[in-house]
Amino acid sequence: MTTFMDRFADRVTEVTTELANLDMPLTVPASPFTTDEYGWIDFTPEIDRSRLAWCTAVRMLTNHHQTPLARQILSADALLRELGVPGLATLHRDLVGAPIDYRFTPCPYCDGMGEDPTLPTCEQLGCRIPANIADHPHGCPVCRGESCEPDYYAERQMDEAEQLWADALAAKTPPRRSWRTLLHRR
């Protein structure tokens, strides 16, 4: 039986196997400090292509653009070099073309768990505080600890919208009919 955490290991294994088949290195060494002709200092950190964040970025890019992994390697390198793991949220937003609400959409990095999959979970550490509060030490750096619970949040938002509508109707004129009667007439 595959556990939730096994999916992350499977993602890394799948991508690193493809990289090995392409004879691509799993690490890109850091470049030393260099100065260009304008005096700017340039340093590129080491990129580890066997990390979950890199594998997630390259999978997001290949799935969105429907291209082979070999065409997205440099894009994933650049994303993580420039923005790090939180850059996956920016990539996700850019690929979708709209802001992402991680209460309704599973995070591509932690799959909606709300915790950083590379660190111990709240259960393993015995946290008394849930992960979806600010500054929790091991919340997901992409979705910031939001757990994907669309059923819970959708029902709550429908209740809030219903209450707002009832309040608006009550404030406008004294109701002669119930709002449900008005709905059935349409």
Side-chain angles (χ1 to χ4, degrees), residues 38-91:
Y38 301 108
W40 290 94
I41 296 177
D42 184 32
F43 173 75
T44 57
E46 179 178 283
I47 300 292
D48 184 1
R49 293 178 177 153
S50 63
R51 287 182 49 219
L52 179 62
W54 191 89
C55 295
T56 301
V58 80
R59 273 291 160 232
M60 287 171 66
L61 289 164
T62 57
N63 291 344
H64 179 76
H65 295 293
Q66 298 176 357
T67 58
L69 184 128
R71 294 192 53 148
Q72 301 300 333
I73 291 173
L74 296 178
S75 299
D77 287 349
L79 174 78
L80 290 178
R81 180 178 293 128
E82 297 296 322
L83 301 174
V85 178
L88 291 173
T90 304
L91 175 64

Side-chain angles (χ1 to χ4, degrees), residues 119-167:
L119 299 174
T121 64
C122 283
E123 290 175 356
Q124 292 169 336
L125 294 175
C127 293
R128 297 183 332 196
I129 303 171
N132 60 357
I133 63 166
D135 299 327
H136 198 72
H138 47 269
C140 177
V142 177
C143 65
R144 294 189 174 92
E146 290 286 346
S147 57
C148 180
E149 299 179 71
D151 295 337
Y152 169 75
Y153 286 108
E155 187 172 321
R156 193 172 88 185
Q157 283 188 334
M158 289 299 291
D159 291 342
E160 289 174 12
E162 188 175 293
Q163 185 61 44
L164 287 171
W165 193 27
D167 292 346

